Amino acid sequence: MHVLRKLFVVELKLLLREPAAWLLVLMLPLVLVTMFGLTANPRTNTNPIVTYFPAMALSLGVAQLALTVLPSALANCRENGILRRMASTPVHPSKLLGAQLAVSLLMALAALAMVLVVGSLVLGFPLPKEPLGFALAFLLGTGALFAVGLCVAAVAPSGRVASGIGAGVFFLSIVFGGVFMPAEVSPKFMIAIGSYLPIGASMQAMRASWAGQWPETLPLVAMAGLIVVFGAVAARTFRWE
């Protein structure tokens, strides 16, 4: 535990030295929720579509973290020989992976806090009316995205390749995940596809809990399944060298 804590501190310091990465993760959802908050009048707007804006902003920030920042960081460690050198020491590379995931989770929680606090206190967006359902949706959605991101990191030989693959997966995810357009105006086939994708399922579950409803079973089961499947694939294919 002591080693993991030290690695966590080191990885956090390394991330903070790359402001382009962590500022994008934090500022992207903040800018989006602020922009839509200033135009959608969430304090007086009772249309259910108002739940789309904070959920979309949060989903984009976490997806950016999981699909580009995390895979790139791990692939860079492999490319620079850090994982290979660690393999010859008593500190197993898996502890570095654990530290990376812990730092990424901290960033995701920071993005969540900023969206909820700024969105609610400053802009007037309602807080999730079903908090337990929202917490479950957020954790499952974040876990599913991290699992997919680890699959990208597992096969990418370099940070540049990881960024390229992650960007492609990110783009496809937001196209079919109900991010570009709210479900109210999206084609039904895209909503159906999105129910099985991490961003789409997360968006559906978070929006439902934001409106005071318990999330439907399908997106929750889909996210849990994605964690199991992609987590297993990542563990089986992950290369330390």
Side-chain angles (χ1 to χ4, degrees):
M1 185 62 69
H2 176 66
V3 173
L4 185 59
R5 184 169 61 248
K6 290 186 68 174
L7 285 173
F8 170 80
V9 173
V10 171
E11 290 301 318
L12 181 59
K13 288 181 178 178
L14 290 175
L15 177 63
L16 294 178
R17 290 177 183 175
E18 299 290 338
W22 62 267
L23 279 177
L24 179 62
V25 172
L26 295 180
M27 295 305 297
L28 177 62
L30 182 60
V31 169
L32 287 174
V33 79
T34 300
M35 180 177 65
F36 288 114
L38 294 176
T39 57
N41 299 317
R43 295 186 188 277
T44 58
N45 192 341
T46 59
N47 193 313
I49 201 173
V50 77
T51 63
Y52 160 75
F53 301 115
M56 178 269 292
L58 183 58
S59 295
L60 281 178
V62 175
Q64 186 73 32
L65 170 66
L67 299 178
T68 59
V69 177
L70 176 62
S72 178
L74 288 172
N76 279 329
C77 288
R78 179 186 298 117
E79 182 181 13
N80 295 327
I82 296 174
L83 298 180
R84 183 178 64 251
R85 291 194 294 271
M86 288 186 67
S88 62
T89 70
V91 180
H92 194 270
S94 61
K95 292 191 180 296
L96 177 62
L97 177 59
Q100 286 275 6
L101 287 172
V103 170
S104 297
L105 179 58
L106 178 64
M107 294 292 292
L109 292 174
L112 170 64
M114 292 178 67
V115 168
L116 292 181
V117 171
V118 175
S120 176
L121 298 182
V122 178
L123 301 170
F125 282 105
L127 289 172
K129 298 178 181 178
E130 179 55 67
L132 291 180
F134 177 81
L136 179 61
F138 176 78
L139 290 176
L140 286 176
T142 300
L145 284 167
F146 281 177
V148 175
L150 287 177
C151 280
V152 176
V155 300
S158 67
R160 181 172 297 179
V161 173
S163 296
I165 297 175
V169 174
F170 174 80
F171 179 75
L172 290 175
S173 298
I174 63 176
V175 168
F176 291 100
V179 175
F180 279 157
M181 296 183 295
E184 288 83 351
V185 296
S186 297
K188 291 185 178 181
F189 79 93
M190 293 188 68
I191 300 175
I193 294 174
S195 299
Y196 297 94
L197 300 177
I199 295 182
S202 178
M203 283 277 293
Q204 292 178 24
M206 284 196 296
R207 288 196 61 188
S209 59
W210 230 304
Q213 304 169 5
W214 186 261
E216 293 185 3
T217 301
L218 176 58
L220 296 180
V221 172
M223 288 185 287
L226 288 168
I227 292 174
V228 173
V229 172
F230 281 93
V233 172
R236 188 175 183 83
T237 60
F238 199 93
R239 297 180 294 106
W240 297 113
E241 300 184 15

